[in-house]
Amino acid sequence: MGAVKSLLHSTMDESMKKSQDAMKDMQTNTVERQLAMQNMMREKAMAMQLAAKRDMFLWFQAFYGTLILGSLAAFRQTKNRKVLMPLFPLGFLYAYQADLVYGNKVDRMRQHAEYILKNENDTIQLPLGMITISDIDERRKETTK
């Protein structure tokens, strides 16, 4: 009788261990899929933002081109250099926007963000630290009162 009980106990332990391993694998798979989904959603949102910026840049390009032609026409008629003054600061804005939407500005921004995360992590910490489950529970209790 003791041998049957021992065999039954070891079989149950094995079954329990297999079940725990299967649950752990399932949880790992779920977390990996959630991370992949969040990354895909982030990439799609960034692609939409870049597309919107490129569309806005086309409008800005038309505005800046019209401004250049108008300023040059006004300069030819008046010979007054002051009509060319808006071209200088707007030229910087135009170059920045062009670099952002068609250049490698996004790569430079990413590299700088990685540098900040590695070397200046204290500057981006949340006030009062990371949110914990107990913080959430406390807030829920406060709002239900």
Side-chain angles (χ1 to χ4, degrees):
M1 186 74 158
V4 172
K5 189 174 182 181
S6 174
L7 181 62
L8 184 61
H9 185 62
S10 68
T11 304
M12 286 180 62
D13 284 345
E14 284 180 30
S15 176
M16 193 175 194
K17 177 77 171 146
K18 285 180 183 178
S19 178
Q20 287 175 342
D21 289 343
M23 286 176 58
K24 190 174 185 179
D25 289 343
M26 209 164 43
Q27 287 175 341
T28 301
N29 190 18
T30 301
V31 169
E32 287 174 352
R33 291 183 78 188
Q34 286 176 346
L35 289 171
M37 180 184 67
Q38 288 176 348
N39 192 45
M40 286 176 64
M41 290 170 53
R42 181 192 59 81
E43 287 174 350
K44 287 182 179 189
M46 286 181 69
M48 284 297 294
Q49 288 176 350
L50 183 59
K53 287 181 187 255
R54 285 183 178 177
D55 183 61
M56 189 172 145
F57 179 70
L58 291 175
W59 286 92
F60 183 70
Q61 194 171 15
F63 163 74
Y64 192 64
T66 304
L67 181 68
I68 288 173
L69 294 176
S71 295
L72 289 175
F75 177 72
R76 286 183 77 190
Q77 286 183 348
T78 63
K79 301 292 185 209
N80 185 358
R81 293 183 184 163
K82 290 181 182 178
V83 296
L84 299 176
M85 291 297 284
L87 296 179
F88 184 70
L90 288 175
F92 282 105
L93 183 62
Y94 180 81
Y96 176 85
Q97 292 294 328
D99 187 29
L100 179 65
V101 298
Y102 291 111
N104 62 352
K105 179 138 189 85
V106 174
D107 292 331
R108 293 192 315 268
M109 290 167 56
R110 186 180 303 113
Q111 288 171 355
H112 196 70
E114 288 172 359
Y115 175 83
I116 290 170
L117 287 171
K118 289 178 184 174
N119 302 315
E120 300 175 16
N121 200 356
D122 57 324
T123 61
I124 58 171
Q125 293 300 313
L126 292 170
L128 302 177
M130 186 76 151
I131 297 173
T132 63
I133 293 175
S134 62
D135 294 336
I136 296 169
D137 290 340
E138 280 182 39
R139 180 64 59 94
R140 279 186 40 226
K141 287 177 185 175
E142 289 174 6
T143 58
T144 58
K145 290 181 181 179

